[in-house]
Amino acid sequence: MSFVSFEHVGKTYHTGEVDIKALNDVNFSVEQGEFCIIVGASGAGKTTILNILGGMDTVSEGKVFLDGNEISSYKKKQLTGYRRYDVGFVFQFYNLVQNLTAKENVELAAQICKNPLPAEEVLKEVGLSERMNNFPSQLSGGEQQRVAIARALAKNPKILLCDEPTGALDYVTGKAVLKLLQDTCRKKGKTVIVITHNQALTAMADRIITVKSGTITDMRKNASIVDVEDIDW
Amino acid sequence: MSKRLLQSTLREIRNSLGRYIAIMAIIAIGVGFFAGLKNTQPDMLATIKHFYEKTNFHDYRLVSTIGFDKESVDAIAQLPECNAACGSIVLDALVTLEEGRGIVMKVHSLTETVDALELVAGRYPQNPNECVLDSYVFSDEMLGQTIVLAENNEEELLEKFVYDSFTVVGMVTSPVYIQYERGNTPLGRGVVDAYMLIPEDAFDMDYYTEIDVKLNQNFELYDDAYKNYVDEYEETYKSAALTLAQERTDRFNDEIREAKQEVEDARTQIEDAKAQIEEAKKQIEELEKTRAELEEAAAKLQPYLDMGYPLPPEQMAVFTALEQLPETPELPEIPELPEEAKEVDELEYFEEPQAYVLGRDTNIGYVCFESDSGIVDGIANVFPIFFFAVAALVCVTTMNRMVEEQRTQIGVLKALGYGDGAILFKYLFYAGSAALIGCVGGYCLGTWMFPKAIWYAYGMMYNAGPLVFVFSWKLAVISLVVAMLCSMGITFLSCRVQLTERAAMLMRPKAPKAGKRIFLEYIPFLWNHIGFLKKVSFRNIFRYKRRFFMMVLGISGCTALLIAGFGIKDSIAGVANMQYDRVAIYDMGITTKDEVENEFPLLQEMGYTRDDYFVFAENSMDLVTEEGSKSLYVATLTEDKFDQFYSLHTLKQEPIAFPKKGEAVVNCRMAEQFHLSVGDQVILRTDALQEIPVTISGINENFVYNYVYIAEETYVDTLGKAPQRKNIYLKAHEGEDVREVSASILESEDVATVSVNEETRERINTMMVSMNIIVYIVIACAAALAFVVLYNLTNINITERIREIATIKVLGFFQRETCAYVFRENLILAVIGAFVGLPLGKLLHAFIMANIRVDLITFAVYVKPISYIFAFLFTVVFAALVNFSMGGKLDRVNMTESLKSVD
């Protein structure tokens, strides 16, 4: 069985009298240690997939497995535990707690885990050893995203989920952040799933999943993986 | 304003109903509290005034030591300004109820015009053996029952009634007894239990014990104009009453004199007759003597005659004389004086009569109501300001937050070409409509609920029918203006700031408030020992200054209110206990009719020794100071064992020396009112305007009435004579029932009044029961305040930090941890607020107590430590409850919020 697998997943939102089908018969799988990119236009349903995989939302039908556990059957409290111990999340807008320093933001996540990595070490790995005691407002966007990645990594999760991690960053900084994510995957063997609307980024992924109108239109292994530095968009 | 903008505004209200309601609620609480409390005293006064006017409560009660002829009423009715005069009979009697209980009843004759009644149930008597009963003491179940005059009443009293039992046909309320006290009596245990009224025909009496007078004009209760009005005519009525009493006395005395004259005449006749009889007796004796002599002589001569000897004619004359002697006459009986004559002899002439005009200010209910209703007004002057301050603050924070949240929207509207006015209107409409609804709702609810609840509380002491509501335009307008200022004024100011910015600026997101180090971090010793999440809370607390202050102010306000509420109770309850536990340690005060030399025979007879009671003189005088004068009691003392009956000590419980010549001790209330301190010179002025200059040698603790204490030498030295000693403080023996003692003392003719300390203490304690309800109201309001403030702040806190909360939920914080993360700072703020509230509460309480001016009682400004603890705990519990109830809201924070862009 694959590390991550979606089996006939469907998701319907009820808003008033209108039912909106966000996902319809979604099937895909990701192997452990892979760098996977889910790509699609806005509104295609990729964020819904991420929400479900991240334990922030539930499925309407179908099953979702991570590392052999059926997370689609989890109750609310189990889902919280799942987010807490198994998932690392990187947001588009970093979502750092403004009145905590970089190090404290990392600790915020680390302290609720079973086997956290030392905050200082992780920050060093993302290249922020000098700026540990700065508040988010004193950091640049790229630095803030690195703190966010460090926060996700410090939890020592089974999977790292990234929602448009470069969406709010400029080209150069964005590249650096992607590089960091790719390195994390390669060196630490972490499974990383990145969501983006940017088709160009798919070149760096091990696995590319294309979402369109709530279904998977294409899932393939990347035969020619390109290093981040060599991608242009 | 365009239709769509209005629609957007209405949708805004619907979508943020919680916030809208919060503004409405805080305005409603503020207005309700203000208008409600402010209206309570006017409502209460109006109720009593209405009752007095409806029942024609007397302005004067004329009483005389001899009563009044029934014809006298007409004479009084002719006096100037007299609207109505009614003669009535008032007697105290022991009665037995059907249930077998014996009580002391004040029995009045029914009057029609003055002191009419309000019928609560049943009907008025149609037969002279029917009665109506005190509805405050008895329930309607008494209707149809029979009240029997007890056999152990004095014969003299029973003779004054035509019947010995009465059927209850109605329950009434009398203006004479609006308060629960029914007065004192020499009967039973010394206190009248209830009153009843029977038709005048049911009394076998040919005179009235009093005449009740109602004057023409009505005034506001306790108004100075009324005092002047009744003062103006008092002398007229007094002299008229005295004249009538004098005439009655003279007539009686004339009758007595005539009767005595008759007896005297009879006695003289009897004496004359006696003398004549004596004379006759002497003559009879003479006669008998002659007769005896003659008979003796005749007896000697008789044998000669029998033998036929002729006797000489001079000897024969003996026989002739004997025959000619008259018969011994029968003496008449001497008439005895009839038995009645002795009674006439014993008849004493009536003394010179006394007549009094007793105004309303001698009616317990009338007098007590002024001070009791004053308490409410004192509270009403302070509390509402506090509520308005908090209301304004809540509005500021809420509206500020709202305007800030909608920066972008304001920017869009501006960009679309809407004018400042239209945009401003949206927010003014939002705040204004909430405030208006809150204001109207709060006003209606407040002016209905507070007076009603407080009147209900007073219903335990007062009985004057349902509450009369008065509507005050002034109050309504003030409420509305303040409510509008609090809401719309503040919204206007918040909007101005945003509207001055350019549209483009507004559409750009405002940078989130930067994190900052707080001072605690520079104390590594402390900081390093604080848990990680607590650090977050501490930073947050100090990060949002405005929220911090608002929260602390709101919460401290809540604590302060609670302390003040509990404290009012403590202070009033404290008065009775402190006064009678450590100041006035005697059992009862007695006023005698005549001066007491040294020993008071009555008390000696009752087994008390000179050590059990203390005799002194108490006079009403004016205390004249630089800041004004005040009528109070001056106790002139002779002995220094005074301290065994009354403890002279300062508020700090340090003993004060017995005043020396030229010195005086004044009580703390007077010292406070006139800013007197030891060493100041003041003057005591008597009724006759004589002045006694004294130096203050001490300021003593005394809570009931106002007193100055001086030594007798001081009095004698300036006025040349000693005052009449007519006051006695008595300490009953261990184990005696003070009420029984007071009843038997009151029975004596030498005693004018007896007041038992235990009764005063009980009276104040009864008042406490009704104070409880006021305290509950304050607690409820404090809770409401705390809830609105906390709810609002927590609400703002959550909406401001929604991304942060969503993020930590994504990070996998359990619900409990999320709650702790968000609410810990609320609880810390609540605790800080509660701490700040402690001194604030002390101040508020002192301020309120200073506002509660009751003439005769000085309240001890005193809050029990337990009250502080309760207030603190209540506050924290309120805060915890609010947080608990907000838990659901946190739960509903959608984690996908964390994915959204900053807007």
Side-chain angles (χ1 to χ4, degrees), chain B residues 108-124:
Chain B
H108 288 246
S109 63
L110 281 160
T111 51
E112 269 174 24
T113 46
V114 184
D115 292 344
L117 305 168
E118 173 139 304
L119 194 65
V120 177
R123 59 169 174 85
Y124 285 112

Side-chain angles (χ1 to χ4, degrees), chain B residues 94-161:
Chain B
L94 294 163
V95 301
T96 313
L97 306 177
E98 261 184 27
E99 60 182 80
R101 189 158 58 100
I103 61 169
V104 182
M105 191 76 94
K106 243 210 213 283
V107 187
H108 288 246
S109 63
L110 281 160
T111 51
E112 269 174 24
T113 46
V114 184
D115 292 344
L117 305 168
E118 173 139 304
L119 194 65
V120 177
R123 59 169 174 85
Y124 285 112
Q126 286 160 354
N127 301 310
N129 62 344
E130 291 175 339
C131 71
V132 286
L133 209 56
D134 189 337
S135 68
Y136 177 82
V137 177
F138 298 106
S139 68
D140 295 354
E141 285 167 23
M142 288 297 292
L143 288 173
Q145 298 199 11
T146 309
I147 289 176
V148 183
L149 293 172
E151 282 168 15
N152 56 347
N153 279 305
E154 299 206 355
E155 196 57 38
E156 203 183 326
L157 180 77
L158 290 174
E159 279 169 7
K160 289 179 174 168
F161 291 94

Side-chain angles (χ1 to χ4, degrees), chain B residues 799-812:
Chain B
T799 48
E800 268 180 3
R801 293 166 65 189
I802 200 131
R803 281 169 58 79
E804 185 179 321
I805 293 162
T807 307
I808 64 159
K809 282 177 93 168
V810 174
L811 286 179

Side-chain angles (χ1 to χ4, degrees), chain B residues 370-432:
Chain B
E370 181 176 21
S371 51
D372 288 350
S373 64
I375 294 176
V376 180
D377 202 47
I379 296 171
N381 281 335
V382 192
F383 275 65
I385 297 169
F386 208 85
F387 275 90
F388 269 134
V390 177
L393 211 67
V394 169
C395 286
V396 174
T397 324
T398 313
M399 289 316 292
N400 243 327
R401 174 65 202 154
M402 178 173 170
V403 173
E404 244 164 52
E405 261 173 32
Q406 304 205 337
R407 281 168 57 88
T408 327
Q409 214 191 92
I410 294 173
V412 171
L413 287 173
K414 275 190 102 166
L416 285 175
Y418 279 97
D420 285 2
I423 299 168
L424 199 58
F425 183 83
K426 176 180 172 176
Y427 298 99
L428 288 183
F429 181 82
Y430 187 95

Side-chain angles (χ1 to χ4, degrees), chain B residues 303-503:
Chain B
Y304 297 100
L305 262 187
D306 293 343
M307 280 190 285
Y309 286 111
L311 291 172
E314 38 314 353
Q315 283 174 345
M316 279 308 284
V318 170
F319 290 99
T320 325
L322 193 60
E323 266 164 33
Q324 279 170 354
L325 266 181
E327 297 237 338
T328 310
E330 284 280 317
L331 276 176
E333 282 281 320
I334 303 171
E336 281 293 316
L337 267 178
E339 274 299 309
E340 294 87 58
K342 257 190 201 144
E343 283 173 30
V344 174
D345 281 339
E346 282 167 12
L347 270 183
E348 279 179 30
Y349 287 104
F350 285 93
E351 284 177 19
E352 282 298 291
Q354 300 279 333
Y356 307 95
V357 173
L358 305 176
R360 288 181 176 183
D361 55 1
T362 57
N363 181 283
I364 303 176
Y366 181 86
V367 174
C368 289
F369 191 70
E370 181 176 21
S371 51
D372 288 350
S373 64
I375 294 176
V376 180
D377 202 47
I379 296 171
N381 281 335
V382 192
F383 275 65
I385 297 169
F386 208 85
F387 275 90
F388 269 134
V390 177
L393 211 67
V394 169
C395 286
V396 174
T397 324
T398 313
M399 289 316 292
N400 243 327
R401 174 65 202 154
M402 178 173 170
V403 173
E404 244 164 52
E405 261 173 32
Q406 304 205 337
R407 281 168 57 88
T408 327
Q409 214 191 92
I410 294 173
V412 171
L413 287 173
K414 275 190 102 166
L416 285 175
Y418 279 97
D420 285 2
I423 299 168
L424 199 58
F425 183 83
K426 176 180 172 176
Y427 298 99
L428 288 183
F429 181 82
Y430 187 95
S433 61
L436 187 67
I437 298 172
C439 179
V440 173
Y443 187 89
C444 294
L445 204 67
T447 52
W448 175 76
M449 188 183 76
F450 284 99
K452 191 111 178 145
I454 294 171
W455 186 240
Y456 172 78
Y458 275 82
M460 288 167 201
M461 296 189 294
Y462 290 94
N463 185 24
L467 188 66
V468 173
F469 290 97
V470 284
F471 179 78
S472 156
W473 277 107
K474 200 176 121 199
L475 207 57
V477 169
I478 292 175
S479 303
L480 193 67
V481 168
V482 176
M484 288 302 151
L485 277 181
C486 280
S487 59
M488 290 170 80
I490 278 154
T491 311
F492 180 75
L493 291 179
S494 305
C495 284
R496 286 305 301 173
V497 181
Q498 301 288 344
L499 285 170
T500 47
E501 285 191 45
R502 270 167 306 146

